[in-house]
Amino acid sequence: MRLPHLYSVGAGPEAFAELWQAAAAAGVRLGWLDLEGPAEPPGPLAGAVGLGAAKAVAAGGRRTVAVKRLAGEPVLRDLVREHFLGCAALLVRGRAGFPRLEARPGGLGEVSMEGAAPVWLAPDAFLARLRRPRARG
């Protein structure tokens, strides 16, 4: 299975509302990974992991929440493999080193190199770029 394109972002997920909507309409799976803030799980899940469970999952209301105890700092490769296979792209907040994706109403700015001027695209054009071979971000 293909690994997702990785993009660094600085804004929260709400800034990419147009992209999320366009992706859902087109049947394109996108992921969000936040490495910036503390991962505070809901009470019962935190309690289970705090008491020694290796993993705790809550499911219902058309979503799941999983909490996993880690031995050390999160490893990006492991997170991508465990949670985001099958996604066309993954927006990562709190980690540099990938092309930067910025949002503004009606478009996305994709910055491929440090200091380069962003290329502004409509969300559907950005999604089309993800489908091209070797469009790795």
Side-chain angles (χ1 to χ4, degrees), residues 65-126:
V65 177
V67 178
K68 180 178 168 183
R69 192 168 22 126
L70 298 176
E73 289 298 312
V75 176
L76 182 65
R77 182 182 311 215
D78 294 342
L79 291 168
V80 171
R81 186 180 63 238
E82 186 172 347
H83 299 288
F84 299 105
L85 288 182
C87 287
L90 176 59
L91 281 56
V92 182
R93 182 165 67 171
R95 176 99 180 239
F98 311 118
R100 184 136 180 107
L101 189 63
E102 298 177 15
R104 70 176 183 193
L108 300 169
E110 182 182 351
V111 181
S112 296
M113 297 185 322
E114 192 72 29
V119 176
W120 292 100
L121 302 167
D124 57 341
F126 176 77

Side-chain angles (χ1 to χ4, degrees), residues 13-28 30 106 108 123-124 127:
E14 61 283 346
F16 299 95
E18 291 179 60
L19 177 61
W20 302 121
Q21 292 166 359
V28 176
L30 300 178
L108 300 169
D124 57 341
L127 294 172

